[in-house]
Amino acid sequence: MRKTNVRKLAVASVFCAVAVVGSLFSFPVFGSKCAPVQHMVNILCAVLLGPGYGVAAAFASSLIRNLLGLGSLMAFPGSMVGALLCGVVYWKTKNIPATLAGEVFGTAVLGGLCAYPVAILLMGQSASQVAYYAYIIPFLISTGAGAIISGAVIYSLKKAGVLQAMAESLEERYAR
């Protein structure tokens, strides 16, 4: 039986808090608030925690941001799809550049396309007002900035030898 990894939950909670506080540093692009810190957190979660924790942290931070009035409903598809894709890419390849590209593609293209039904069904937008690809550019700007920031952070941690130590301390241990 697997036990919950309390360390991973704690780190995911800290990342969630960083994403919420980081959303104070957002900028509007077309009808979307761009928050690059969320995308940085998605990539760090992918590298240190895995796709499940990354999606959970993205959902929790999107929910908290919306409850506090710091985000829009667009935070859900953008952050969660990007977190899932970059988490799966890192889990399968352990390749940092591919993980960064996975976050950018997952958020900008897939998340941007998933935002269209959210805008129509939940935000009261009319289909004639918003094109199905309308959120791709704003999401691309936000996730591109977040990928650059996280790439710098990850490579700095890797060069200092801290990334490996962090990853090893978060490995799941089973009671025997």
Side-chain angles (χ1 to χ4, degrees):
M1 184 166 131
R2 283 177 67 165
K3 291 192 169 226
T4 303
N5 190 329
V6 177
R7 287 182 183 171
K8 281 190 173 184
L9 285 174
V11 171
S13 299
V14 169
F15 281 148
C16 179
V18 167
V20 171
V21 172
S23 69
L24 294 171
F25 307 104
S26 65
F27 51 92
V29 176
F30 304 119
S32 175
K33 280 187 175 179
C34 293
V37 174
Q38 174 67 58
H39 307 292
M40 177 195 74
V41 166
N42 286 353
I43 294 166
L44 291 172
C45 282
V47 171
L48 293 172
L49 304 174
Y53 285 95
V55 172
F59 174 79
S61 62
S62 295
L63 181 63
I64 293 168
R65 286 169 47 202
N66 274 276
L67 291 174
L68 294 175
L70 299 173
S72 71
L73 290 177
M74 298 298 115
F76 289 99
S79 66
M80 292 173 63
V81 174
L84 177 63
L85 188 59
C86 77
V88 170
V89 167
Y90 187 78
W91 177 49
K92 294 290 186 183
T93 68
K94 302 295 188 232
N95 184 307
I96 302 291
T99 303
L100 299 175
E103 168 65 21
V104 171
F105 181 78
T107 297
V109 177
L110 301 178
L113 292 174
C114 290
Y116 178 74
V118 171
I120 302 299
L121 299 173
L122 300 177
M123 295 178 69
Q125 298 283 330
S126 118
S128 63
Q129 285 179 323
V130 67
Y132 68 91
Y133 54 85
Y135 294 103
I136 292 175
I137 298 299
F139 285 9
L140 178 65
I141 294 168
S142 181
T143 192
I148 291 168
I149 294 167
S150 65
V153 169
I154 288 171
Y155 281 114
S156 297
L157 291 173
K158 194 172 186 178
K159 186 175 181 180
V162 176
L163 187 64
Q164 182 65 30
M166 291 172 72
E168 287 173 3
S169 74
L170 291 170
E171 284 181 12
E172 294 190 37
R173 293 176 177 88
Y174 301 99
R176 296 230 183 239

